[in-house]
């Protein structure tokens, strides 16, 4: 019986992407590359689905956010809740738990306030930066904890900043 021709003979591969993103699967720790423009991909080793949305959290937010892309919390912003991301730039206020599979960079110029827990592959906190958090810096996070953290969907809620009630004149 003759062998069937390979699928690549019928569908030749397209052009290779120019800009690549190096990622590690949170499920099996397999390292691979994807296009920087990719929004979703599957791990070639274990077929675990990954989302790569880059997010900028301007304003006041609370809830849970899960993405393997880059997250930025600019100055004058506030986030309360659970954050799972690929990498993080932090210049605003954060209260909750952070799990980052790449670097976490803290901007000392804007004096960010961080409380809660922080688990990351690396932490870049230049001189002058300060935060209150339980910090775990490890090259490979525990896959069981990561799978539970990534199961959270995008349950992010934008909240308005607290407004003080108007002061009534004394009678």
């Amino acid at each position: 019986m003759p062998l069937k021709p390979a699928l690549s003979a019928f569908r030749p591969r397209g052009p290779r992407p120019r800009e690549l993103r190096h990622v590690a699967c949170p499920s099996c720790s397999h390292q691979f590359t994807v296009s920087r423009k990719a929004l979703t991909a599957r791990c070639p080793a274990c077929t675990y689905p990954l989302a790569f949305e880059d997010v900028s959290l301007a304003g006041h937010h609370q809830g849970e956010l899960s993405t393997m892309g880059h997250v930025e919390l600019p100055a004058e912003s506030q986030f309360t809740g659970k954050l799972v991301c690929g990498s993080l730039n932090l210049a605003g206020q954060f209260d909750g738990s952070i799990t980052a599979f790449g670097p976490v960079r803290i901007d000392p110029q804007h004096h960010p306030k961080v409380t809660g827990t922080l688990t990351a592959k690396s932490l870049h906190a230049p001189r002058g930066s300060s935060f209150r958090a339980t910090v775990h810096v490890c090259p490979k996070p525990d896959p069981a904890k990561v799978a539970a953290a990534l199961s959270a969907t995008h349950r992010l809620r934008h909240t308005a900043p607290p407004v003080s009630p108007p002061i009534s004149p004394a009678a």
Side-chain angles (χ1 to χ4, degrees):
M1 179 181 335
L3 296 175
K4 293 183 180 180
L7 185 60
S8 63
F10 295 112
R11 283 193 216 163
R13 291 185 179 227
R16 290 221 167 251
R18 294 182 185 169
E19 297 178 16
L20 296 174
R21 178 190 315 225
H22 299 281
V23 296
C25 177
S27 177
C28 68
S29 300
H30 177 73
Q31 295 184 358
F32 60 101
T33 58
V34 295
S35 170
R36 189 159 299 277
K37 294 180 180 180
L39 296 178
T40 61
R42 287 194 175 267
C43 173
C46 68
T47 67
Y48 188 82
L50 304 169
F52 299 104
E53 295 175 278
D54 293 337
V55 179
S56 179
L57 297 171
H60 298 278
H61 299 276
Q62 78 181 60
E64 296 179 356
L65 177 64
S66 174
T67 180
M68 289 301 293
H70 178 74
V71 175
E72 186 168 341
L73 188 66
E76 307 291 326
S77 296
Q78 185 176 6
F79 184 86
T80 304
K82 184 178 179 181
L83 176 63
V84 178
C85 62
S87 62
L88 175 67
N89 279 354
L90 190 60
Q93 296 180 9
F94 185 88
D95 183 20
S97 67
I98 299 171
T99 303
F101 296 99
V104 173
R105 290 182 173 82
I106 296 178
D107 186 4
Q109 295 176 350
H110 297 98
H111 305 292
K113 294 180 181 177
V114 181
T115 55
T117 60
L118 174 85
T119 304
K121 183 176 181 179
S122 66
L123 176 64
H124 183 262
R127 180 181 291 168
S129 57
S130 64
F131 54 96
R132 291 184 189 192
T134 304
V135 178
H136 303 281
V137 178
C138 55
K140 288 185 180 180
D142 182 20
K145 292 180 182 177
V146 172
L150 283 175
S151 66
T153 57
H154 293 290
R155 290 179 288 229
L156 190 62
R157 195 170 68 214
H158 184 77
T159 59
V163 179
S164 59
I167 299 174
S168 59

